[in-house]
Amino acid sequence: MSLSDADISALFITLRLAGLTTIILLLLGTPLAWWLARSRWRFKFLLEALIALPLVLPPTVLGFYLLISLGPNGPLGSLSQSLGGPSLAFSFTGLVIGSVLYSMPFVIQPLQNAFAAIGNRPLEVAATLRASPLDRFFTIALPLAHSGFLTAAVLGFAHTLGEFGVVLMIGGNIPGRTQVLSIAIYDHVESLEYGQAHLLSAGLLLLAFLMLILVYAVNRRFAVAQQ
Amino acid sequence: MSIQVSLKLEKEGFLLDVDLGIPARGITALFGPSGCGKTTLLRAIAGLEPKARGVLRMGGQVWQDGDCFLPPHRRPLGYVFQEASLFPHLNVRKNLEYGLRRVPADQRRVSLDNAIDLLDIGQLLMRKPRQLSGGERQRVAIARALAVSPKLLLMDEPLAALDVLRKQEILPHLESLHARLDIPVIYVSHSPDEVARLADHLVLMEQGRISASGPIADMLTRVDLPLARGNDAEALIEARVAEHDDTYALTCLDFPGGRFTVARKDLAIGTVVRLRVIARDVSLTLARQTDTSILNIFPAIVDEIVPTGDSQVTVKLQVGGIPLLSRITRKSAALLELQPGKSVYAQAKTVALLA
């Protein structure tokens, strides 16, 4: 038994979606997590709660509001169209926006914890050794938080791989454009193609497991090295 | 040149309010009980307390004044924290180079080799911080701070986290640093022993304020301050090695008030060392004793007498212009009819050479 063309394109769309989402989240999430870890702003908890929302919200709720705002009459959709872009609903770009929001806590929280765990002292020491704030961030904070980055990247990637509800709501299910693996599996089961469903499911299971093994193995080595 | 510090800082109900001039040479010890604000003051000088208000001038350079606030990385200082705080992801050499690389080449006055040599850490360069002992870590931290060629070195109880043996391992390095580098140091400590060995200048702090400051020998013998009234009151005397007596294995040291004789130490003739004379070990006589085992006897003039507890008094003496303390009973003071201006002989039973 081998993968059909539609399954293969679903695989590539999924990997591209997860990869892009992870990259965007690391770029946006690093400064945000740094700020969250360092700021003493009184109302910081409001932002933290907002970021954690996707952890508890049914994906369909998030998907529903995204569908409205990404559609031609929604704020994001009309903005895109007024700039000459496409409607965002039922597009790959829409999927990326949805995934970024949906996977955000999985990237922000490990980063924030890793930055907080560094503490003030190494940064103060670096300051007395002539390092400017940006210099301290790149030469002290980033290297010391490296295990947090690995955790964040793997969790963000793996969580996007497993996304179903949000994608279904805003992506439609357009083979070759917005159909991802989790939905392809659903379609196979609906059509009683259990063999195909097995193949894709087992593949995703294995991939997710391997990635988590990587995270735990590296973090364990790191923890041992710190002692 | 001097360092002018007038800073105010309110922090979690604690008020630091300091107005102080410190000589920009030698080692100045900030001394006081824990919680008196020593560390906070040191952090404020380094710029690590951005809420501190006031004026901070280092020689002709303004570090802080009103709205002008030089951030810590722009202040030419070195800081040694109580815990070594080495960067765990860098080996010893990279830790040392971290600050050095950020100092422009024309401002480097302490070379890396010089810093490595002073702290004797040449064999540790390739190790990671977790492979070092506590004492080794602190030596690396001190070398790292020196390698930025600071115009002022701030040290926050660098020995407090170490056991006695490790302290003995580091103290000689601090002394040679003092002798070989012309970098002013502000040294926070609550150990009288460290202060006596290292400091040239002493600043006493109490509840966020400066209670007194001055040259160490004067401060230790000022009877209006708690130091001279404490059980361990002592005087510090600088003396020069004059000769060695090989017959009895003794070393003779001259100071303006006479000659000390102590157990032989391998020091070159002419070396200037510190002697510590504990007030409890100094007794007084009206006539010079000849039939006594005590070697160190000096003519002295009573300067001040203050009661210390119920039964004792602390007598401040001048020996050739050098202050010395004697702790005797109130009864003895009455029997000898001691009063300021009276000539006596001071007998020091033990004298410790600090080096």
Side-chain angles (χ1 to χ4, degrees):
Chain A
M1 195 189 329
S2 63
L3 293 171
S4 68
D5 286 352
D7 287 343
I8 288 173
S9 78
L11 173 67
F12 278 108
I13 287 170
T14 307
L15 291 178
R16 212 169 66 138
L17 179 64
L20 212 56
T21 300
T22 308
I23 289 167
I24 291 172
L25 274 175
L26 286 177
L27 290 178
L28 292 178
T30 303
L32 182 57
W34 176 248
W35 182 82
L36 285 172
R38 311 273 308 160
S39 165
R40 291 193 189 166
W41 185 45
R42 214 148 37 112
F43 298 108
K44 190 173 78 172
F45 66 93
L46 292 176
L47 195 60
E48 290 176 311
L50 193 67
I51 290 170
L53 259 187
L55 290 174
V56 294
L57 213 56
T60 42
V61 173
L62 185 64
F64 172 63
Y65 285 117
L66 274 170
L67 182 65
I68 289 176
S69 60
L70 294 179
N73 298 322
L76 288 176
S78 56
L79 178 72
S80 164
Q81 283 185 324
S82 72
L83 296 172
S87 163
L88 292 174
F90 309 116
S91 73
F92 183 75
T93 313
L95 283 192
V96 173
I97 294 173
S99 305
V100 163
L101 291 174
Y102 186 51
S103 297
M104 188 171 282
F106 292 84
V107 173
I108 299 277
Q109 288 182 354
L111 289 183
Q112 186 184 340
N113 291 340
F115 284 141
I118 295 173
N120 243 338
R121 181 50 56 80
L123 299 162
E124 287 185 347
V125 172
T128 66
L129 294 170
R130 308 285 188 279
S132 67
L134 201 64
D135 189 356
R136 305 201 278 269
F137 177 75
F138 282 109
T139 57
I140 304 298
L142 283 193
L144 288 183
H146 77 273
S147 75
F149 274 90
L150 180 75
T151 308
V154 170
L155 288 184
F157 190 87
H159 187 248
T160 309
L161 279 189
E163 182 179 335
F164 182 81
V166 176
V167 177
L168 197 62
M169 293 292 282
I170 61 174
N173 186 5
I174 309 167
R177 281 185 52 204
T178 61
Q179 191 185 56
V180 296
L181 275 182
S182 57
I183 294 179
I185 293 169
Y186 181 74
D187 280 356
H188 285 308
V189 174
E190 288 278 272
S191 337
L192 299 176
E193 297 160 356
Y194 276 34
Q196 298 285 348
H198 261 310
L199 199 61
L200 295 183
S201 299
L204 272 184
L205 180 74
L206 197 67
L207 185 59
F209 189 47
L210 284 177
M211 285 194 294
L212 289 182
I213 286 176
L214 175 74
V215 169
Y216 283 102
V218 170
N219 280 350
R220 181 175 164 272
R221 215 192 62 200
F222 183 70
V224 171
Q226 288 289 296
Q227 284 163 8
Chain B
M1 200 168 87
S2 76
I3 303 160
Q4 189 206 337
V5 185
S6 12
L7 292 172
K8 261 190 191 176
L9 172 65
E10 214 184 323
K11 200 179 166 188
E12 291 151 22
F14 175 82
L15 181 71
L16 180 78
D17 186 356
V18 162
D19 194 353
L20 178 67
I22 300 173
R25 55 178 306 122
I27 297 184
T28 298
L30 278 182
F31 183 78
S34 5
C36 72
K38 306 182 295 276
T39 295
T40 308
L41 175 57
L42 207 64
R43 289 174 55 83
I45 293 173
L48 295 173
E49 296 288 351
K51 286 186 180 149
R53 294 279 161 265
V55 180
L56 183 56
R57 279 204 201 91
M58 169 76 199
Q61 217 182 359
V62 177
W63 286 5
Q64 185 173 346
D65 191 355
D67 289 335
C68 152
F69 182 90
L70 217 55
H73 67 276
R74 308 267 303 276
R75 302 185 181 195
L77 53 83
Y79 201 119
V80 180
F81 291 83
Q82 191 168 333
E83 316 81 31
S85 309
L86 300 180
F87 300 130
H89 61 300
L90 302 176
N91 68 17
V92 169
R93 175 178 279 282
K94 292 268 167 57
N95 262 284
L96 295 174
E97 286 171 349
Y98 188 91
L100 181 76
R101 281 196 293 118
R102 286 163 173 79
V103 175
D106 61 326
Q107 289 172 28
R108 292 179 195 165
R109 291 174 300 129
V110 182
S111 72
L112 193 60
D113 290 343
N114 202 342
I116 291 169
D117 187 41
L118 263 172
L119 277 304
D120 191 21
I121 49 173
Q123 71 289 356
L124 308 175
L125 295 178
M126 289 307 145
R127 300 219 201 135
K128 281 287 186 96
R130 68 181 132 82
Q131 297 167 313
L132 304 179
S133 72
E136 289 170 337
R137 269 181 222 163
Q138 200 54 281
R139 270 152 62 198
V140 174
I142 294 168
R144 181 175 67 174
L146 283 176
V148 297
S149 304
K151 293 214 169 90
L152 173 65
L153 183 60
L154 305 172
M155 304 182 100
D156 185 5
E157 307 208 33
L159 307 183
L162 304 174
D163 59 44
V164 178
L165 275 178
R166 298 282 157 259
K167 278 183 193 167
Q168 295 309 322
E169 167 191 331
I170 293 187
L171 266 168
H173 294 295
L174 291 181
E175 281 165 346
S176 70
L177 187 155
H178 185 203
R180 285 167 59 186
L181 294 180
D182 186 25
I183 298 174
V185 178
I186 302 181
Y187 189 101
V188 164
S189 180
H190 67 252
S191 151
D193 197 52
E194 278 169 47
V195 170
R197 280 186 69 160
L198 296 170
D200 303 304
H201 198 83
L202 182 61
V203 176
L204 291 183
M205 280 190 79
E206 218 170 301
Q207 294 178 346
R209 290 167 183 275
I210 307 295
S211 48
S213 83
I216 180 87
D218 296 353
M219 291 287 287
L220 288 176
T221 52
R222 262 177 63 179
V223 288
D224 59 325
L225 297 176
L227 286 173
R229 296 168 183 234
N231 196 32
D232 295 321
E234 64 191 16
L236 281 186
I237 295 171
E238 287 209 333
R240 187 178 295 271
V241 177
E243 58 176 311
H244 297 292
D245 175 347
D246 290 325
T247 319
Y248 294 108
L250 296 172
T251 294
C252 301
L253 304 114
D254 284 345
F255 79 110
R259 168 170 284 201
F260 277 103
T261 308
V262 302
R264 183 179 168 124
K265 279 261 179 172
D266 265 331
L267 292 167
I269 304 292
T271 311
V272 176
V273 295
R274 279 184 180 186
L275 300 172
R276 167 202 268 170
V277 186
I278 310 263
R280 277 181 277 117
D281 293 340
V282 177
S283 57
L284 301 178
T285 58
L286 291 181
R288 182 187 268 276
Q289 299 278 313
T290 46
D291 47 354
T292 169
S293 65
I294 292 176
L295 290 172
N296 296 304
I297 302 177
F298 309 101
I301 297 185
V302 175
D303 195 358
E304 287 176 83
I305 305 167
V306 287
T308 310
D310 287 340
S311 60
Q312 295 188 307
V313 295
T314 302
V315 183
K316 181 175 179 180
L317 306 158
Q318 294 290 341
V319 183
I322 306 292
L324 192 68
L325 294 178
S326 167
R327 174 75 43 83
I328 55 175
T329 60
R330 199 152 54 86
K331 181 177 180 182
S332 310
L335 289 174
L336 295 178
E337 294 175 336
L338 292 185
Q339 55 187 350
K342 186 161 183 141
S343 289
V344 294
Y345 287 89
Q347 312 187 124
K349 199 173 96 195
T350 55
V351 176
L353 200 152
L354 301 177

